[in-house]
Every structure is written in structure tokens, then in C-alpha cells.
Amino acid sequence: MQHGFEESGDVQDIRLVVDTIPTLAWSAGPDGSAQFFNQRWLDYTGLSAEQALGSGWQVAIHPDELPRILETFREALNSVKPYEVEGRFRRFDGEFRWFLFRGSPLRDRSGKVAKWYGTNTDLEERKRAEEALRKSEERWRSVFENSAIGVALTDLNGHFLATNHVFQAMVGYTEEELRALDLLDVTHEEYREANRVLITELLEGNRRQFQIEKKYRRKDGNSIWVSNNVSLVPGTERVARFIMALSEDITQRNGPKKLYSGVRVI
């Protein structure tokens, strides 16, 4: 009636739409007491409407999540503002999956809350992807930090983004100091131009990677010979493209046997 549907046939049509939309939907009274769940919500939880009404729906929330979700709901009721909160939600077969719970108030003409409407959206696949990404990042961090050779990540302009302890020891700078420098700043002056050309070719797609032998200029002014394997790492939605340099100290060798513009290119 509040939405202008006066005939029972119209109301039935609206209920049919609500029951078939591809999401779990519900409504509650001004005090937050549940009054309606669409068929998808009931089918998902395995609860009957009678079981879920009032506060009965709470049995479908994971016990560890329930206090936090109820607190968020109470805060929304008091502030009369939309809310969203994540938590584990029980399926009819007993499996808990991560969901996003959203709710918004509907006010009547006088400005008072007439109802609360909300949806429950399955986040399980996103959560699993995030967990897989987190573990992948942890593995990468472990390899990065425990590598026996120096690892330096720079942006496309060569400015250092991250370096491991081996690389920092090689050049004599702290990670914080390196963040104020770029890759050519630690490259010996005799080899900078040749190195700049190779980086340009890498960025323009003329090389997939390159390996060079050159000198680094340490913070203390001394020079060391290094073998660098440099590649361009493709970006993702979360991370822009970056350059990765794997550096091995070869100072104890006899030095490069063949020079190309001052740099041995392998």
C-alpha cells in the first residue's frame, strides 16, 4: 500500500519478484524485529518463515560473528543510518560462508522509520581469493627476504620501491635511504648511460629481460662488481608494473671479459 500497489494481484507480483531476485533479501520493523524473508533467503538457510521471524534469524549467524553483527545493527538502529558488516552465514547443510550484510531504513512521510530493508550477499569466493593472495604474498615476502642474492624492486622510473637485506648490504644503504634514490644512483657513473639504454629497451618491449655485469657505487664510495638480471614484472589490478633486479656480488671474480658500452650484456 505504501508503494502504491492497492490490488492483491499487484502485491503478489511484487512478492514474486522479491522471491526470485538473485539475492537474499529481508525486511524488519522499526525496532529491527524481522518481518519478512524472501524465498531465496529461506531456501538458503533451510529455515521456515516462522523460525526466522523476530530474532529467530540469528541462529543462522556464526556464534563468533553474532555479537559483532548485532552491535553493528544496534548502532544502525540508533543512528537510523544504513549499515554493512561482514560475517559467516550458515547454509541449510550446515556450512558457514562469508557474507556481506547490508541494511537501510525506509522512512514514512513524517520522517519516522517505517521499515528496514536489507540483503545478504555471498562473499565466500572473494574471501578465498583474498586468502590465497595473502598466502601468495607471504610466500613471496619470505623468498624476497631470505634470498641469497640481492633483490631490488623499482618503479618504471627506476626509483626503489623495496629492497631485501642482501641488496642493502651490497650497496651500504638502508631501505629508507634507498627509497630516496633510484637504480642509476647506485650504478657507477661509467655504466649509467648503457644501463639507461637497456632499461628503455625493456620498457619499450624490445627486451623481455636482460643480464648485465657492471659496477655499483656503494654509499662509502667504494665500487663492487655485480651481475644483474633485470626484468619487467607485469602489473595487476592492484599493483602497477615494476622492474625487478636480481643482483649478485661478483667482485671476487676477475671482472668482465667483454664490454659493450662499458657494460657486459649477457
Side-chain angles (χ1 to χ4, degrees):
M1 293 289 288
Q2 293 175 344
H3 295 278
F5 299 101
E6 300 180 357
E7 297 182 4
S8 60
D10 291 330
V11 174
Q12 291 174 3
D13 288 343
I14 292 300
R15 182 175 291 269
L16 179 62
V17 170
V18 172
D19 280 340
T20 56
I21 58 175
T23 192
L24 282 59
W26 54 267
S27 68
D31 63 351
S33 180
Q35 296 178 338
F36 168 79
F37 297 91
N38 72 346
Q39 193 59 47
R40 282 183 179 271
W41 194 102
L42 298 174
D43 290 343
Y44 184 88
T45 62
L47 297 173
S48 67
E50 291 75 14
Q51 291 173 318
L53 293 178
S55 60
W57 57 272
Q58 296 178 17
V59 300
I61 307 295
H62 194 287
D64 293 344
E65 316 292 343
L66 185 58
R68 178 172 53 83
I69 291 175
L70 289 178
E71 179 60 25
T72 300
F73 193 20
R74 281 192 291 268
E75 291 177 356
L77 290 174
N78 292 331
S79 64
V80 195
K81 292 182 179 179
Y83 75 92
E84 61 179 48
V85 61
E86 295 180 6
R88 285 170 288 179
F89 193 50
R90 191 185 68 194
R91 198 166 60 186
F92 64 89
D93 59 2
E95 179 182 349
F96 283 94
R97 294 172 64 90
W98 280 95
F99 268 72
L100 174 63
F101 304 97
R102 284 192 174 118
S104 295
L106 175 68
R107 298 175 183 270
D108 59 22
R109 292 180 179 178
S110 67
K112 294 182 179 180
V113 174
K115 279 185 180 296
W116 283 83
Y117 289 98
T119 58
N120 301 358
T121 305
D122 194 327
L123 298 179
E124 184 67 22
E125 296 307 318
R126 194 197 78 182
K127 285 286 188 179
R128 290 181 180 179
E130 290 175 348
E131 179 64 14
L133 180 60
R134 184 188 64 79
K135 291 181 178 179
S136 177
E137 290 174 344
E138 287 179 352
R139 287 193 293 269
W140 160 249
R141 174 58 63 178
S142 177
V143 171
F144 180 79
E145 293 294 346
N146 296 296
S147 174
I149 62 175
V151 183
L153 310 181
T154 78
D155 63 18
L156 301 189
N157 293 316
H159 295 106
F160 288 107
L161 300 173
T163 53
N164 70 351
H165 296 301
V166 176
F167 187 88
Q168 294 161 27
M170 288 171 58
V171 297
Y173 290 95
T174 66
E175 182 170 30
E176 183 177 353
E177 290 172 331
L178 284 169
R179 287 183 181 275
L181 304 175
D182 63 44
L183 191 58
L184 293 183
D185 288 332
V186 299
T187 298
H188 194 283
E189 307 89 82
E190 297 176 9
Y191 308 99
R192 288 176 183 171
E193 183 56 34
N195 205 161
R196 184 181 290 108
V197 170
L198 294 171
I199 292 292
T200 299
E201 292 178 353
L202 185 72
L203 297 178
E204 292 178 347
N206 298 322
R207 292 177 179 271
R208 296 183 61 184
Q209 63 179 51
F210 61 87
Q211 184 177 347
I212 61 175
E213 292 182 2
K214 63 176 184 178
K215 285 183 180 179
Y216 273 157
R217 174 77 75 184
R218 287 175 46 84
K219 181 181 179 180
D220 61 14
N222 293 322
S223 298
I224 59 171
W225 278 104
V226 296
S227 174
N228 267 15
N229 193 316
V230 183
S231 57
L232 181 64
V233 180
T236 66
E237 292 182 359
R238 297 179 54 189
V239 180
R241 294 191 304 168
F242 63 90
I243 296 171
M244 179 170 64
L246 306 179
S247 301
E248 181 183 3
D249 188 342
I250 58 171
T251 305
Q252 298 304 317
R253 298 181 188 177
N254 294 328
K257 300 176 181 178
K258 179 181 179 181
L259 297 179
Y260 168 71
S261 299
V263 179
R264 184 185 181 193
V265 182
I266 303 173

